[in-house]
Amino acid sequence: MKKFPIPPFTLESALEKIQLAEDGWNSRDPQRVAQAYTIDSEWRNRHLFINGRDEIIDFLSHKWEKELDYKLKKEYWAHTENRIAVRFEYEYRDVNGQWFRAYGNENWEFDEDGLMRRRYASINDLPIKESERKFI
């Protein structure tokens, strides 16, 4: 299975890949999102190490049960032939109604079919007031 665009990336294809990732994550559909990753994909997400699609689906399912009204924006940082770096922000509220904005960076590595085989994310959360939200 190929997930276009595939490496080697140009600026245009890297931007397209980033937008596809943003759209996928904003769907909040763990099954859909997991299809962009290799079967044995490696993740570091904050303090967690996640391996393979089954763990990705489990992680995302739990994430979006706790992070309500999730909305994400990714921005291009850099790319090489099969790697892309992005910065991102997302907002969500918890079950108690407290809003948060998360900031971070991700480094992505893709296989020859355009599936992401490695995702390393560093993320920080900041409590915000509902009136401070950017992504409505």
Side-chain angles (χ1 to χ4, degrees), residues 79-92:
H79 77 280
T80 62
E81 287 190 13
N82 72 329
R83 293 180 175 169
I84 299 174
V86 298
R87 69 162 300 280
F88 63 87
E89 298 179 81
Y90 65 87
E91 294 175 344
Y92 65 93

Side-chain angles (χ1 to χ4, degrees), residues 1 6 11-12 19-21 24 30 42-43 45 65 77 91 99 125-126 130 134:
M1 171 173 75
I6 59 174
L11 175 58
E12 293 76 21
Q19 187 62 57
L20 290 167
E42 296 176 12
W43 283 23
N45 196 87
E65 287 172 2
W77 192 261
E91 294 175 344
W99 282 93
D125 295 292
L126 174 68
E130 186 172 4
K134 292 182 183 180

Side-chain angles (χ1 to χ4, degrees), residues 55-114:
E55 288 185 21
I56 290 169
I57 291 167
D58 186 55
F59 169 78
L60 292 174
S61 296
H62 288 97
K63 172 184 179 67
W64 289 321
E65 287 172 2
K66 296 181 294 185
E67 295 181 3
L68 308 174
D69 299 319
Y70 176 96
K71 181 70 174 166
L72 166 74
K73 181 64 183 154
K74 292 186 181 286
E75 294 180 13
Y76 172 85
W77 192 261
H79 77 280
T80 62
E81 287 190 13
N82 72 329
R83 293 180 175 169
I84 299 174
V86 298
R87 69 162 300 280
F88 63 87
E89 298 179 81
Y90 65 87
E91 294 175 344
Y92 65 93
R93 66 177 172 82
D94 66 15
V95 295
N96 299 314
Q98 173 63 56
W99 282 93
F100 294 87
R101 184 172 305 120
Y103 298 93
N105 300 293
E106 292 178 332
N107 295 309
W108 302 340
E109 182 180 273
F110 296 87
D111 71 5
E112 62 280 352
D113 293 324

